[in-house]
């Protein structure tokens, strides 16, 4: 992991734990526009994209009363006592909740969502061994499972990890997407003669075709899902 990716991971932790996941509050505290914060969170470290440079790093650490080098993963023993344990721990990664509000320009309706999972905090070792094929650590978010159309993969209320670095359906997989203002999680498959078809794990639901005329947008690809059981 290079230093820019490390900074982005810590920047995500700060936003999620010290600003309740609000990019607007993060932007206010460091004196930047919310769109600037979004670029830092989701584009840092990519070739030709925005990175958290030395000047911005210093501003962030000062704004949150953090020791010099905190964003780079250095010893945090001198950090402010107001920090949450997860924010100060050097070897954890916080995967924030996906913002279904206005962050992407749409208020998304996730039908039958039984509450939300605010975040998942894991070790880098857990992430490496248990989540495969994602684009970047900073692109991982948590979505709480909703509806019963995907029973067999997850149940309503179960956690899913989504890679929001994936914005197109380049191959058959399970995707988080919207049609209009309604959110869906479905298996998307390209079928000759039919086009892009949305499929449910629960066979009580019929497959349906995503027509070119539909207002369709991919939010990300599901890279990990849990199926809970009651005992």
């Amino acid at each position: 992991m290079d230093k820019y990716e490390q900074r982005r991971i810590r920047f995500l932790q700060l936003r999620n734990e010290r600003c309740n996941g609000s990019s607007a509050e993060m932007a206010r505290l460091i004196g930047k526009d919310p769109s600037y914060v979004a670029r830092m969170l989701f584009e840092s470290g990519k070739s030709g994209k925005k990175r958290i440079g030395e000047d911005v790093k210093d501003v962030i650490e000062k704004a949150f009363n953090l020791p010099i080098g905190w964003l780079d993963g250095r010893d945090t023993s001198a950090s402010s006592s107001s920090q949450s344990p997860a924010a100060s721990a050097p070897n954890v990664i916080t995967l924030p909740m996906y913002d279904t509000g206005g962050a992407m320009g749409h208020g998304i309706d996730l039908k039958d969502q039984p509450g939300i999972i605010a975040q998942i905090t894991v070790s880098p070792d857990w992430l490496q061994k248990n989540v495969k094929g994602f684009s970047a650590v900073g692109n991982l978010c948590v979505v709480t499972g909703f509806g019963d159309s995907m029973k067999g993969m997850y149940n309503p209320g179960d956690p899913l990890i989504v890679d929001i670095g994936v914005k197109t359906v380049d191959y058959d997989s399970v995707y988080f997407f919207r049609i209009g203002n309604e959110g869906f999680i479905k298996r998307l498959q390209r079928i000759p003669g039919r086009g892009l078809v949305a499929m449910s794990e629960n066979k009580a639901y019929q497959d349906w075709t995503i027509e070119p005329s539909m207002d369709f947008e991919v939010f990300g690809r599901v890279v990990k899902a849990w199926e809970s059981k009651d005992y």
Side-chain angles (χ1 to χ4, degrees):
M1 181 189 306
D2 67 20
K3 68 177 181 180
Y4 298 110
E5 184 67 10
Q6 175 67 61
R7 288 174 184 178
R8 177 164 56 166
I9 290 169
R10 287 261 168 131
F11 197 44
L12 276 165
Q13 290 179 341
L14 284 174
R15 187 199 68 164
N16 205 45
E17 298 174 20
R18 302 280 289 274
C19 301
N20 294 318
S22 171
S23 293
E25 176 64 10
M26 171 70 82
R28 184 187 69 80
L29 290 172
I30 66 174
K32 300 290 185 181
D33 187 87
S35 63
Y36 180 90
V37 172
R39 291 196 300 274
M40 289 293 182
L41 287 173
F42 300 116
E43 296 180 356
S44 294
K46 296 180 182 179
S47 178
K49 299 296 185 179
K50 199 73 177 176
R51 294 181 171 189
I52 299 177
E54 299 303 320
D55 54 341
V56 178
K57 180 187 76 70
D58 293 345
V59 168
I60 294 168
E61 290 172 345
K62 183 176 181 180
F64 287 92
N65 193 28
L66 297 167
I68 295 173
W70 187 90
L71 281 175
D72 290 327
R74 296 176 190 167
D75 189 337
T76 61
S77 59
S79 59
S80 169
S81 61
S82 65
Q83 270 181 248
S84 67
S88 60
N91 292 314
V92 298
I93 295 171
T94 298
L95 309 183
M97 176 184 69
Y98 182 85
D99 183 359
T100 57
M104 298 296 174
H106 303 275
I108 304 303
D109 180 19
L110 307 183
K111 293 186 181 300
D112 302 320
Q113 187 180 39
I116 60 170
I117 298 171
Q119 66 183 41
I120 295 177
T121 302
V122 302
S123 70
D125 189 52
W126 183 93
L127 198 64
Q128 179 184 6
K129 293 179 179 179
N130 292 281
V131 182
K132 307 298 182 183
F134 56 89
S135 60
V137 172
N139 289 334
L140 297 178
C141 292
V142 178
V143 175
T144 306
F146 54 93
D148 65 353
S149 69
M150 295 299 283
K151 277 190 172 181
M153 176 176 289
Y154 66 84
N155 294 311
D158 288 350
L160 295 85
I161 297 178
V162 175
D163 181 354
I164 62 172
V166 177
K167 298 297 185 184
T168 58
V169 183
D170 293 328
Y171 56 89
D172 300 347
S173 190
V174 179
Y175 292 86
F176 178 35
F177 62 96
R178 69 172 181 86
I179 301 291
N181 286 332
E182 185 173 354
F184 296 91
I185 293 176
K186 301 282 186 185
R187 190 177 301 279
L188 296 182
Q189 181 177 356
R190 294 193 182 278
I191 299 179
R194 290 187 62 184
L196 191 60
V197 176
M199 302 177 172
S200 300
E201 296 295 297
N202 184 346
K203 295 310 175 185
Y205 289 80
Q206 295 184 358
D207 300 344
W208 46 277
T209 301
I210 297 176
E211 303 290 348
S213 60
M214 292 179 174
D215 182 16
F216 168 67
E217 180 183 6
V218 174
F219 291 140
R221 184 175 70 86
V222 176
V223 294
K224 191 79 173 180
W226 285 264
E227 185 182 11
S228 63
K229 293 182 180 180
D230 294 324
Y231 294 96

